[in-house]
Amino acid sequence: MTSIMPTYNRIPVTFARGSGARLYDDAGKEYIDALCGLAVTGLGHAHPHVTEAIAAQARTLTHTSNLYGIAGQEKLAARLTALSGMDNVFFGNSGAEANEAAIKIARLYGHDRGIDIPHTVVMDNSFHGRTMATLTATGNRKVHAGFEPLLGGFVRAPFNDIDAVRRIGENDENVVAVMVEPILGEGGIHIPEDDYLTRLRALCDDNGWLLMLDEVQTGNGRSGKFFCYQHSGILPDVVTTAKGLGNGVPIGACLARGTASGMLVAGNHGSTFGGNPLVCAAANAVLDELEGGLMERAGELGERMLSGLRQGLQGSNIVKDIRGKGLLLAVELDRPCAQMVTDAMEAGVILNVAADTVIRLLPPLILSDEDADQVVATVVRLVKAMA
Ligand SMILES: *Cc1c(COP(=O)(O)O)cnc(C)c1O
């Protein structure tokens, strides 16, 4: 551990293996994983179909280059565009890289329209990644601290506030795009008004701005639909995803539609590893499972857990809010609750705390009803004990 840069405050537990919704640490203790390595292993650990796809591809061909055709990447791109209603896709290796591609698309789009210093509107309390452009886009001072000078070209608005974005546009003729998470993930699972995306879409259309959605955390079936925007019946111009797409194999995707889909071309963007045969085999296997009914299951399971949490914590005086969409679930307390992570681990449940006061659950889509009920019961018990 000592030779690793201390970029994470690590919990002193090391997992040795996993199976489905279960993790086992190196002392053999069993846990229900209600976090999925932060919304990544949505199909659970060591999923047989994904494991077999990775192993078979590794035996055949792991990497060539984007200088050549890649059959698995073609197939994955066709499936992702069909699932999303988008026109094309660029593959990188992470959420941050997918968002870098989106930010670059916005700048190219702005220059095409004769705007020399194009501005992208981003939201307070958002999270978009740790590269220079994505940390600048992120609406969290802690993420910026020490990395000044930040990039230019970003203007900030409160989340879930259409009028604020409209006012920015009225005073700034350099705006070319709006970049937003459909649900704030790292910000603490904040769900906007039902018509937020619809109204943002209309505002972008009126002004010729790109609507760019960061679905790195909310995508890949977690919300109950493949992309969260599909609950709103709109299409973005750009949508990014990563986390759940490879079930643990690093892959990021930036999908674009219409004018936005023509911006990234030979010479202005690229990636050595992006969309290589190995990661595309994993992601294609993930899509096989998602298309087999798992997205609907995520929606049902989310409702079951949400109502279980609401019932169990009814009247608790330290609970400020209980909210969720699909398997993005949050119990917000009136106080910091970092201790909840270790208490839950002792009780055999992996969960996480976001924004200091929010217990965040991102369980796998393959969770059984029994395990879901056990996670809920554990959270309810621990919150009551804290009160
Ligand atoms: C995790 C996350 C990112 C960054 O993804 P990385 O793969 O860590 O670069 C970006 N946006 C959102 C919404 C995220 O949740």
Side-chain angles (χ1 to χ4, degrees):
M1 281 289 187
T2 50
S3 42
I4 300 173
M5 287 193 193
T7 56
Y8 283 85
N9 290 316
R10 287 175 201 269
I11 296 161
V13 171
T14 301
F15 297 110
R17 67 189 181 87
S19 175
R22 304 294 159 124
L23 277 172
Y24 301 85
D25 71 18
D26 54 7
K29 182 175 158 74
E30 180 180 299
Y31 306 81
I32 301 178
D33 183 2
L35 186 62
C36 291
L38 283 155
V40 170
T41 51
L43 270 51
H45 300 283
H47 188 284
H49 182 55
V50 180
T51 303
E52 183 46 39
I54 293 171
Q57 190 60 51
R59 280 192 295 268
T60 310
L61 187 64
T62 301
H63 179 86
T64 51
S65 164
N66 285 304
L67 293 172
Y68 314 104
I70 299 173
Q73 188 184 119
E74 288 287 349
K75 179 177 172 190
L76 181 62
R79 297 176 79 181
L80 285 174
T81 51
L83 276 165
S84 63
M86 305 299 284
D87 290 337
N88 61 13
V89 52
F90 172 83
F91 291 109
N93 311 287
S94 64
E97 281 174 78
N99 287 334
E100 285 280 339
I103 291 164
K104 287 177 77 171
I105 286 173
R107 290 182 174 210
L108 291 166
Y109 173 79
H111 289 294
D112 265 14
R113 301 180 69 201
I115 296 173
D116 289 337
I117 304 178
H119 288 172
T120 295
V121 179
V122 292
M123 305 303 161
D124 295 338
N125 300 313
S126 62
F127 183 79
H128 297 298
R130 298 285 192 169
T131 61
M132 279 310 304
T134 59
L135 81 83
T136 300
T138 292
N140 179 344
R141 285 279 154 218
K142 282 189 206 161
V143 173
H144 299 161
F147 298 111
E148 299 82 3
L150 302 182
L151 263 65
F154 293 94
V155 282
R156 297 173 199 286
F159 182 67
N160 194 21
D161 185 342
I162 293 286
D163 292 331
V165 179
R166 178 181 299 113
R167 279 195 302 275
I168 287 172
E170 283 165 4
N171 296 304
D172 179 351
E173 55 191 29
N174 288 335
V175 172
V176 297
V178 176
M179 183 165 170
V180 60
E181 295 159 81
I183 293 173
L184 295 183
E186 298 310 293
I189 314 291
H190 287 284
I191 304 168
E193 298 295 325
D194 280 346
D195 63 356
Y196 182 55
L197 288 187
T198 321
R199 294 181 66 196
L200 268 184
R201 177 72 274 176
L203 187 61
C204 287
D205 285 342
D206 288 348
N207 290 282
W209 304 336
L210 300 180
L211 178 60
M212 311 203 298
L213 300 180
D214 178 348
E215 295 230 26
V216 171
Q217 187 158 156
T218 52
N220 308 295
R222 180 157 291 279
S223 77
K225 298 205 182 272
F226 187 72
F227 279 126
C228 193
Y229 67 77
Q230 293 172 320
H231 293 280
S232 310
I234 59 124
L235 284 175
D237 299 290
V238 176
V239 56
T240 59
T241 196
K243 292 194 162 102
L245 182 55
N247 209 52
V249 169
I251 180 169
C254 174
L255 293 112
R257 191 175 61 87
T259 314
S261 70
M263 294 296 146
L264 295 180
V265 296
N268 73 11
H269 201 52
S271 169
T272 296
F273 294 128
N276 83 14
L278 185 75
V279 299
C280 289
N284 274 309
V286 168
L287 294 192
D288 292 340
E289 297 298 315
L290 290 180
E291 287 172 337
L294 267 188
M295 302 191 254
E296 296 74 13
R297 171 72 185 154
E300 287 163 18
L301 202 51
E303 275 173 36
R304 181 187 185 96
M305 294 180 79
L306 192 60
S307 69
L309 289 166
R310 284 186 173 143
Q311 249 164 42
L313 290 170
Q314 203 172 16
S316 167
N317 57 340
I318 69 166
V319 174
K320 275 181 71 180
D321 191 25
I322 300 170
R323 53 184 179 260
K325 194 172 190 83
L327 293 175
L328 298 127
L329 296 155
V331 177
E332 182 171 356
L333 304 184
D334 66 357
R335 62 196 68 183
C337 57
Q339 181 62 32
M340 202 56 81
V341 173
T342 29
D343 292 351
M345 282 195 97
E346 265 168 43
V349 173
I350 311 290
L351 50 71
N352 157 269
V353 168
D356 295 333
T357 57
V358 179
I359 302 168
R360 177 170 55 163
L361 302 175
L362 301 165
L365 286 60
I366 49 93
L367 197 67
S368 66
D369 286 349
E370 294 70 34
D371 283 353
D373 294 348
Q374 197 178 324
V375 169
V376 168
T378 302
V379 171
V380 167
R381 183 166 56 77
L382 293 175
V383 171
K384 282 184 169 164
M386 198 177 183

